[in-house]
Amino acid sequence: MPFPAGLAAPVLEGSLVRLEPLEHRHAAGLAAAAEEDRGSYGFTWVPRAGEVGDYIDAQLARAAAGTLMPYAQIVGERAVGATAYWDPRLWPDRDELFAVEVGFTWLAASAQGSGVNREAKHLMFAHAFEQWHVSRVDLKTDARNARSRAAIERAGARFEGVLRSWSRSWAPGEAGRLRDSAIFSIVAAEWPALRVSQRQ
């Protein structure tokens, strides 16, 4: 299901990170970011430097189809990773979102553990709940990815369970295989308290 017509992906800016709609001008920064240290990318789709152009093309194709709103994560003037809104779900009787997922997220090794991921997710949560008025934001990761699961929980999402053989695996060497996905969410009633905790 595509995003509602006319719904835009605005620039989202915090104190640590700025989220800009993904464009080819981000390619050089993303290529450098992706090659810093790939040790934490065992379960995540992160292009090699020479694949970044094709990666951006693929994300922009999803954007053109209305199923994805991809972002570059910018620290200072340097692209340090990517993220996206995707999997929009609309009310059956009107062209409005009731839920969206935050995903396709990766960061350069130097930006991991810096607070950038948490702030970026909170910027995206805030926009989804306060501007789009969704009832739910989803996040999911490979159930084996303990690092990603911990980061999602630190961002304030609640673990809901593991769905077995839920989606394609992004792990190297697992093309054509399915993974178990750990599912997390934040619902609208939880957002006000989470927003306050982010400011403390």
Side-chain angles (χ1 to χ4, degrees), residues 93-114:
D93 57 345
R94 56 188 189 270
D95 196 31
E96 297 176 10
L97 287 174
F98 73 85
V100 70
E101 184 168 335
V102 171
F104 284 96
T105 301
W106 63 271
L107 280 171
S110 61
Q112 296 174 22
S114 66

Side-chain angles (χ1 to χ4, degrees), residues 80-160:
V80 298
T83 191
Y85 289 116
W86 77 298
D87 192 21
R89 275 102 72 209
L90 277 61
W91 292 100
D93 57 345
R94 56 188 189 270
D95 196 31
E96 297 176 10
L97 287 174
F98 73 85
V100 70
E101 184 168 335
V102 171
F104 284 96
T105 301
W106 63 271
L107 280 171
S110 61
Q112 296 174 22
S114 66
V116 164
N117 179 64
R118 186 169 185 262
E119 183 178 79
K121 282 187 168 52
H122 278 255
L123 290 170
M124 297 178 81
F125 298 161
H127 188 77
F129 285 119
E130 297 170 16
Q131 302 302 317
W132 294 342
H133 306 292
V134 300
S135 296
R136 173 186 171 97
V137 173
D138 299 335
L139 303 97
K140 67 175 180 283
T141 189
D142 192 304
R144 299 168 293 178
N145 193 342
R147 184 184 184 119
S148 178
R149 290 174 66 159
I152 291 170
E153 289 185 331
R154 283 194 300 273
R158 183 173 298 183
F159 175 61
E160 295 187 328

Side-chain angles (χ1 to χ4, degrees), residues 12-55:
L12 302 174
E13 188 149 7
S15 60
L16 298 175
V17 64
R18 183 173 69 259
L19 302 180
E20 298 178 354
L22 182 66
E23 299 177 7
H24 276 283
R25 65 187 176 86
H26 298 118
L30 292 177
E35 295 296 338
E36 281 187 9
D37 178 352
R38 298 183 62 85
S40 65
Y41 299 154
F43 302 105
T44 306
W45 179 37
V46 180
R48 302 299 310 218
E51 300 167 340
V52 166
D54 290 341
Y55 166 85

Side-chain angles (χ1 to χ4, degrees), residues 56-68:
I56 294 174
D57 284 341
Q59 296 298 71
L60 294 181
R62 291 180 174 95
T67 59
L68 188 81

